[in-house]
Amino acid sequence: MKRFSKILVAVLALCLLVGALALAISANTRVEGNFVVQGTGYEKWEDAVAAADNTHTIYINENWELEEVITISGATTNVKVNLNGKTVSVKDGSMLFNVYSNAKLTIEGEGTINDAGAIAIGASKSGVVTVNATGKGIVINHKAAENDTDYICAFRIHDRAALNVSGF
C-alpha cells in the first residue's frame, strides 16, 4: 500500500509540474497581429470588430497609426477597445473615432492616443463613448489640424450623445 501511495504522489506531482509548465509557456506566447480578440490576432481593424461581435474586447497589440477615421455606427454596435499599454496615433490631426446612430464605444486599459483631432460622438443622431482608465491611465494628446476650429477639443459631443469618463 505504501508503494502505491508513493507512485500516486509521484504521478500527481508530475501532473502538477506539466500543468504549471504548460501555463508558463502559454503566458509567454505572443499573439501576432495588430489587434487581439479572445486570443486570436487580426491584422485589420474590420476583422477584429467582426470577431468581437459586440461582446468581446479588442486589444490593441501593436502601436497603431491611423490613416483615416474609424466609424462606429448602428444601434446594435457596441465596440470595446483596450489600449493595452500601446499608442494609437492619428495622422494630420484627423478624427480618431466617429461614433453615432446609437452606437457605443468603450476605450479602456492604459495607453496613449496621440495627435487626435477629436473623438466625435453623435455627429448624426446619438452615440455613447465610455473611457475607463486603469493602471497608469489613458493619455490623450490632442492636436487639431491647422486652421481647424471644428475640433478644438479631444471630444466633440453632439446633441443626444454622451461621454462617460472614469478612473482619471
Side-chain angles (χ1 to χ4, degrees), residues 1-122:
M1 184 70 160
K2 283 187 177 184
R3 185 168 190 235
F4 176 74
S5 294
K6 287 181 179 180
I7 292 172
L8 182 61
V9 168
V11 169
L12 289 174
L14 184 61
C15 288
L16 285 172
L17 181 62
V18 169
L21 183 60
L23 184 61
I25 290 170
S26 68
N28 290 323
T29 302
R30 187 178 185 302
V31 176
E32 295 297 321
N34 294 321
F35 315 99
V36 175
V37 178
Q38 290 193 294
T40 301
Y42 299 91
E43 292 300 319
K44 294 182 181 177
W45 169 258
E46 297 80 13
D47 295 339
V49 170
D53 195 30
N54 292 321
T55 57
H56 303 289
T57 300
I58 300 168
Y59 290 85
I60 305 297
N61 202 35
E62 301 286 342
N63 292 332
W64 183 29
E65 185 172 54
L66 290 168
E67 303 267 341
E68 57 189 40
V69 66
I70 298 292
T71 298
I72 299 171
S73 67
T76 60
T77 304
N78 183 9
V79 177
K80 293 182 218 169
V81 177
N82 188 308
L83 293 177
N84 197 26
K86 305 298 184 215
T87 298
V88 177
S89 299
V90 184
K91 286 191 173 184
D92 302 324
S94 300
M95 276 194 304
L96 174 59
F97 293 107
N98 185 12
V99 183
Y100 64 93
S101 293
N102 296 312
K104 295 180 179 109
L105 167 67
T106 300
I107 302 171
E108 58 190 17
E110 57 184 68
T112 303
I113 298 173
N114 280 331
D115 303 328
I119 297 175
I121 310 166

Side-chain angles (χ1 to χ4, degrees), residues 124-147:
S124 159
K125 299 185 181 172
S126 62
V128 177
V129 171
T130 301
V131 180
N132 295 321
T134 60
K136 295 178 182 175
I138 297 172
V139 176
I140 299 175
N141 296 316
H142 171 66
K143 176 184 169 187
E146 191 174 324
N147 298 322

Side-chain angles (χ1 to χ4, degrees), residues 136-158:
K136 295 178 182 175
I138 297 172
V139 176
I140 299 175
N141 296 316
H142 171 66
K143 176 184 169 187
E146 191 174 324
N147 298 322
D148 187 352
T149 57
D150 287 337
Y151 302 109
I152 57 173
C153 60
F155 295 94
R156 183 177 185 190
I157 305 168
H158 296 270

